[in-house]
Short mmCIF file of all heavy atoms in Angstrom, two decimals:
data_model
loop_
_atom_site.label_atom_id
_atom_site.label_comp_id
_atom_site.label_asym_id
_atom_site.label_seq_id
_atom_site.Cartn_x
_atom_site.Cartn_y
_atom_site.Cartn_z
N SER G 1 28.37 1.58 -12.52
CA SER G 1 28.49 2.53 -11.40
C SER G 1 27.59 3.74 -11.46
O SER G 1 27.00 4.08 -10.54
CB SER G 1 29.86 2.89 -11.38
OG SER G 1 30.23 3.77 -10.30
N VAL G 2 27.46 4.13 -12.75
CA VAL G 2 26.52 5.38 -13.01
C VAL G 2 25.12 5.01 -12.72
O VAL G 2 24.31 5.66 -12.09
CB VAL G 2 26.68 5.83 -14.47
CG1 VAL G 2 25.56 6.78 -14.79
CG2 VAL G 2 28.06 6.49 -14.74
N ILE G 3 24.74 3.66 -13.12
CA ILE G 3 23.36 3.33 -12.97
C ILE G 3 23.06 2.98 -11.40
O ILE G 3 22.02 3.40 -10.79
CB ILE G 3 23.06 2.05 -13.78
CG1 ILE G 3 23.02 2.36 -15.27
CG2 ILE G 3 21.75 1.43 -13.28
CD1 ILE G 3 23.01 1.16 -16.09
N GLU G 4 24.01 2.23 -10.83
CA GLU G 4 23.89 1.94 -9.36
C GLU G 4 23.81 3.10 -8.52
O GLU G 4 23.11 3.13 -7.40
CB GLU G 4 24.79 1.00 -9.01
CG GLU G 4 24.67 -0.46 -9.52
CD GLU G 4 25.73 -1.39 -9.12
OE1 GLU G 4 26.76 -1.04 -8.67
OE2 GLU G 4 25.39 -2.58 -9.20
N SER G 5 24.60 4.17 -8.76
CA SER G 5 24.61 5.44 -8.05
C SER G 5 23.22 6.09 -8.07
O SER G 5 22.69 6.51 -6.92
CB SER G 5 25.64 6.40 -8.60
OG SER G 5 25.67 7.57 -7.97
N HIS G 6 22.67 6.13 -9.20
CA HIS G 6 21.25 6.80 -9.20
C HIS G 6 20.24 5.84 -8.47
O HIS G 6 19.34 6.36 -7.81
CB HIS G 6 20.84 6.99 -10.63
CG HIS G 6 19.41 7.47 -10.79
ND1 HIS G 6 19.04 8.74 -10.34
CD2 HIS G 6 18.35 6.91 -11.28
CE1 HIS G 6 17.81 8.92 -10.53
NE2 HIS G 6 17.36 7.93 -11.19
N MET G 7 20.36 4.55 -8.67
CA MET G 7 19.49 3.62 -8.01
C MET G 7 19.49 3.65 -6.45
O MET G 7 18.41 3.70 -5.84
CB MET G 7 19.81 2.20 -8.39
CG MET G 7 19.48 1.74 -9.80
SD MET G 7 19.87 0.07 -10.16
CE MET G 7 19.05 -0.25 -11.66
N SER G 8 20.66 3.91 -5.99
CA SER G 8 20.86 4.02 -4.51
C SER G 8 20.08 5.31 -4.04
O SER G 8 19.44 5.30 -2.85
CB SER G 8 22.24 4.09 -4.01
OG SER G 8 23.04 5.16 -4.57
N ILE G 9 20.17 6.35 -4.76
CA ILE G 9 19.46 7.57 -4.41
C ILE G 9 18.00 7.40 -4.46
O ILE G 9 17.30 7.85 -3.56
CB ILE G 9 19.90 8.70 -5.38
CG1 ILE G 9 21.37 9.08 -5.21
CG2 ILE G 9 18.99 10.05 -5.15
CD1 ILE G 9 21.91 9.98 -6.13
N GLU G 10 17.46 6.76 -5.54
CA GLU G 10 16.07 6.40 -5.80
C GLU G 10 15.48 5.64 -4.60
O GLU G 10 14.39 5.84 -4.16
CB GLU G 10 15.86 5.79 -7.05
CG GLU G 10 15.68 6.69 -8.18
CD GLU G 10 15.02 6.03 -9.36
OE1 GLU G 10 15.39 4.84 -9.65
OE2 GLU G 10 14.43 6.61 -10.19
N GLU G 11 16.25 4.58 -4.26
CA GLU G 11 15.82 3.64 -3.29
C GLU G 11 15.70 4.33 -1.81
O GLU G 11 14.80 3.98 -0.98
CB GLU G 11 16.75 2.54 -3.13
CG GLU G 11 16.55 1.57 -4.36
CD GLU G 11 17.55 0.45 -4.45
OE1 GLU G 11 18.38 0.35 -3.48
OE2 GLU G 11 17.52 -0.29 -5.31
N GLU G 12 16.50 5.36 -1.55
CA GLU G 12 16.36 6.07 -0.24
C GLU G 12 15.17 7.10 -0.47
O GLU G 12 14.47 7.22 0.55
CB GLU G 12 17.67 6.97 -0.06
CG GLU G 12 18.86 6.12 0.43
CD GLU G 12 18.46 5.51 1.82
OE1 GLU G 12 17.95 6.12 2.71
OE2 GLU G 12 18.86 4.27 1.94
N ASP G 13 14.98 7.68 -1.57
CA ASP G 13 13.90 8.69 -1.72
C ASP G 13 12.55 7.96 -1.71
O ASP G 13 11.65 8.49 -1.12
CB ASP G 13 14.01 9.42 -3.06
CG ASP G 13 15.19 10.30 -3.12
OD1 ASP G 13 15.73 10.82 -1.97
OD2 ASP G 13 15.52 10.76 -4.25
N ILE G 14 12.48 6.78 -2.26
CA ILE G 14 11.12 6.13 -2.31
C ILE G 14 10.70 5.71 -0.96
O ILE G 14 9.49 5.44 -0.72
CB ILE G 14 11.28 4.84 -3.22
CG1 ILE G 14 9.94 4.49 -3.88
CG2 ILE G 14 11.92 3.67 -2.55
CD1 ILE G 14 9.32 5.55 -4.70
N LYS G 15 11.53 5.56 0.07
CA LYS G 15 11.15 5.13 1.34
C LYS G 15 10.23 6.17 1.98
O LYS G 15 9.39 5.87 2.94
CB LYS G 15 12.37 5.03 2.33
CG LYS G 15 13.30 3.73 1.94
CD LYS G 15 14.46 3.70 2.81
CE LYS G 15 15.32 2.54 2.36
NZ LYS G 15 16.61 2.43 3.19
N ASN G 16 10.33 7.49 1.59
CA ASN G 16 9.34 8.50 2.04
C ASN G 16 8.17 8.68 1.10
O ASN G 16 7.42 9.70 1.21
CB ASN G 16 10.20 9.83 2.15
CG ASN G 16 11.29 9.63 3.11
OD1 ASN G 16 11.14 9.08 4.18
ND2 ASN G 16 12.55 10.20 2.76
N TYR G 17 7.96 7.81 0.13
CA TYR G 17 6.86 8.00 -0.92
C TYR G 17 5.55 7.64 -0.44
O TYR G 17 5.49 6.49 0.32
CB TYR G 17 7.35 7.25 -2.09
CG TYR G 17 6.21 7.26 -3.18
CD1 TYR G 17 6.19 8.35 -4.15
CD2 TYR G 17 5.28 6.40 -3.28
CE1 TYR G 17 5.19 8.50 -5.07
CE2 TYR G 17 4.30 6.42 -4.31
CZ TYR G 17 4.27 7.45 -5.23
OH TYR G 17 3.25 7.50 -6.23
N SER G 18 4.43 8.26 -0.64
CA SER G 18 3.17 7.79 -0.36
C SER G 18 2.45 7.75 -1.73
O SER G 18 2.70 8.50 -2.53
CB SER G 18 2.37 8.76 0.61
OG SER G 18 3.07 8.88 1.80
N PRO G 19 1.53 6.75 -1.85
CA PRO G 19 0.77 6.61 -3.12
C PRO G 19 0.01 7.88 -3.57
O PRO G 19 -0.57 8.56 -2.61
CB PRO G 19 -0.17 5.56 -2.83
CG PRO G 19 0.41 4.68 -1.76
CD PRO G 19 1.22 5.61 -0.95
N GLY G 20 0.34 8.28 -4.77
CA GLY G 20 -0.29 9.55 -5.28
C GLY G 20 0.55 10.74 -5.14
O GLY G 20 0.29 11.80 -5.70
N MET G 21 1.59 10.62 -4.46
CA MET G 21 2.55 11.70 -4.17
C MET G 21 3.17 12.18 -5.62
O MET G 21 3.49 11.30 -6.39
CB MET G 21 3.63 11.30 -3.21
CG MET G 21 4.69 12.44 -2.93
SD MET G 21 6.08 11.94 -1.97
CE MET G 21 5.17 11.65 -0.39
N ASN G 22 3.37 13.42 -5.76
CA ASN G 22 4.05 14.01 -6.96
C ASN G 22 5.45 13.79 -6.90
O ASN G 22 6.10 13.97 -5.85
CB ASN G 22 3.80 15.46 -7.28
CG ASN G 22 2.27 15.62 -7.57
OD1 ASN G 22 1.60 14.92 -8.31
ND2 ASN G 22 1.69 16.86 -7.16
N ILE G 23 6.11 13.32 -8.05
CA ILE G 23 7.53 13.10 -7.98
C ILE G 23 8.19 14.02 -9.04
O ILE G 23 7.77 14.07 -10.20
CB ILE G 23 7.81 11.61 -8.29
CG1 ILE G 23 7.30 10.76 -7.20
CG2 ILE G 23 9.34 11.50 -8.46
CD1 ILE G 23 7.63 9.34 -7.42
N ASP G 24 9.32 14.74 -8.58
CA ASP G 24 10.04 15.52 -9.60
C ASP G 24 11.08 14.62 -10.39
O ASP G 24 11.91 13.84 -9.85
CB ASP G 24 10.92 16.60 -8.69
CG ASP G 24 11.74 17.51 -9.61
OD1 ASP G 24 11.64 17.26 -10.86
OD2 ASP G 24 12.41 18.41 -9.06
#
């Protein structure tokens, strides 16, 4: 559950990612 919770957030965030973009 801990892992999947973070994964779901990452998968939403990555939809707005562009190659070369800085990531916090």
Side-chain angles (χ1 to χ4, degrees):
S1 178
V2 168
I3 293 171
E4 288 182 334
S5 177
H6 178 63
M7 284 181 173
S8 64
I9 294 172
E10 275 195 326
E11 287 171 4
E12 283 301 312
D13 289 344
I14 205 64
K15 291 176 182 178
N16 299 317
Y17 178 84
S18 298
M21 181 185 293
N22 289 328
I23 295 180
D24 184 356

